[in-house]
Amino acid sequence: MLGLVTHPSYDIPLKDGHQFPATKFSRLMAILARDGVLDGFVQHNPEPASHADLAVVHCPDYINSVAAGTLSARDLRVLGLPWSDALCNRSFLAPNGTLATARLALAEGLACHAAGGTHHAHFDYGAGYCVFNDLVYAARRLVDEGEASEVLILDCDVHQGDGTARMLAGDDRIFTCSLHCRSNYPARRAVSDLDVEIDKGTGDDGYLAMLMDTLAFLAESGRQPDLVLYDAGVDVHENDRLGHLTLSHAGISTRDEMVIRHFRDQGRAVATVIGGGYGTDIEEVAHRHSLVFRAALAVVTS
Ligand SMILES: [Zn+2]
């Protein structure tokens, strides 16, 4: 049985028509239950992160502004979400969800988070629907607290993990690798330890070939991460509202299995987060997010 971290408060209350698929988190859990995928997992719920915990990676004034609901109109525009008690609540939960998933992965080899991948959040501001950076938070706490000596963040969301790259610049213990579409948000790119830019319109074969090359490059780099944080963003899908790539369901499943199997074969712990996925049909988006959970089960049962 694999560990799965989730929380009933992960959904974000938004008005109809908002670009962010607000209820995809609960829809994802419903699909996993309906299809029997949850039978292969043990569920865990995170506790909210404290201000002191988050201050390991975020500016205390920014954390206070999120908690108090005093972000400026400009801050909220850059974030792309309206402030609410529920948004605040889930913003303190999800980073600990990714940390809990990472700890389960370190103990058991593989674990999955039914949220996470808020890679556009920066030290002192949120952006692109990302309030706090769960990937940076989890990786930094694990290395700071001696639970891992080296962590690899492999970000396969279609957008560049710019917040992750900037927040971890100069930290040799955490390697950041972002595979993303060359022409997409954010307009101002950061520099990851390894950026792989994929041309607009690329489909399964071209994408998977670049991923294979990237995995081979990482293997040959001599880095020895105890843990891989894998952002399995599904905004690479051909019908995604914000992505410009053309992967199919099968392509995403192959990608996820390839990544998980590759690192497990090397003896690395793997923690997955769902990352981005956008569309007006929330059921369809949630189904795409379910693929990484199915891939994880397929890897451990084959
Ligand atoms: Zn994205």
Side-chain angles (χ1 to χ4, degrees):
M1 299 278 268
L2 294 173
L4 184 156
V5 178
T6 184
H7 199 284
S9 299
Y10 274 166
D11 281 351
I12 302 170
L14 295 170
K15 289 201 179 93
D16 283 352
H18 194 285
Q19 193 147 246
F20 191 88
T23 56
K24 70 177 186 175
F25 305 96
S26 58
R27 291 310 308 153
L28 167 61
M29 291 307 296
I31 289 169
L32 294 175
R34 181 196 69 195
D35 293 351
V37 181
L38 280 187
D39 297 344
F41 289 92
V42 179
Q43 290 186 53
H44 304 263
N45 293 338
E47 296 291 324
S50 68
H51 288 217
D53 288 341
L54 282 168
V56 170
V57 295
H58 282 290
C59 173
D61 287 345
Y62 172 55
I63 298 167
N64 289 336
S65 298
V66 173
T70 55
L71 293 169
S72 69
R74 183 183 178 280
D75 289 340
L76 292 170
R77 215 168 34 247
V78 174
L79 175 61
L81 297 169
W83 190 92
S84 62
D85 282 326
L87 176 71
C88 178
N89 187 34
R90 64 102 56 217
S91 298
F92 283 84
L93 285 168
N96 265 357
T98 295
L99 178 61
T101 309
R103 284 186 169 139
L104 285 166
L106 284 167
E108 299 166 4
L110 175 61
C112 302
H113 188 195
T118 43
H119 58 172
H120 301 307
H122 288 67
F123 171 69
D124 56 359
Y125 67 95
Y129 312 135
C130 301
V131 178
F132 297 129
N133 195 313
D134 61 310
L135 298 165
V136 173
Y137 170 78
R140 187 58 80 58
R141 282 204 52 189
L142 291 172
V143 294
D144 280 356
E145 294 169 28
E147 294 172 74
S149 46
E150 203 174 308
V151 174
L152 165 65
I153 299 176
L154 177 64
D155 188 339
C156 289
D157 187 285
V158 81
H159 304 101
Q160 192 204 31
D162 58 333
T164 308
R166 286 210 181 88
M167 290 173 77
L168 290 172
D171 190 330
D172 294 338
R173 305 164 302 174
I174 305 165
F175 191 90
T176 57
C177 174
S178 177
L179 267 88
H180 51 264
C181 180
R182 188 186 301 280
S183 45
N184 208 327
Y185 177 94
R188 205 163 61 85
R189 296 294 163 86
V191 180
S192 312
D193 292 314
L194 177 63
D195 284 301
V196 180
E197 302 213 295
I198 299 171
D199 288 335
K200 202 169 174 173
T202 300
D204 292 348
D205 292 348
Y207 183 96
L208 293 170
M210 290 186 84
L211 174 63
M212 214 179 300
D213 286 350
T214 304
L215 294 176
F217 179 86
L218 291 169
E220 288 161 13
S221 72
R223 301 199 69 92
Q224 305 282 338
D226 306 297
L227 171 76
V228 178
L229 288 176
Y230 171 46
D231 183 333
V234 295
D235 41 15
V236 293
H237 190 269
E238 57 191 333
N239 294 333
D240 190 89
R241 194 168 168 181
L242 301 183
H244 298 306
L245 300 183
T246 57
L247 270 73
S248 66
H249 278 90
I252 292 174
S253 293
T254 303
R255 175 195 72 171
D256 293 345
E257 279 199 44
M258 191 191 282
V259 167
I260 296 169
R261 204 179 295 280
H262 172 83
F263 289 111
R264 280 177 60 86
D265 286 351
Q266 291 187 346
R268 319 277 180 221
V270 179
T272 72
V273 301
I274 68 170
Y278 306 92
T280 46
D281 184 343
I282 293 185
E283 192 72 12
E284 174 55 29
V285 172
H287 175 72
R288 290 175 204 152
H289 282 306
S290 77
L291 298 175
V292 70
F293 297 82
R294 299 175 206 265
L297 280 187
V299 168
V300 293
T301 54
S302 64

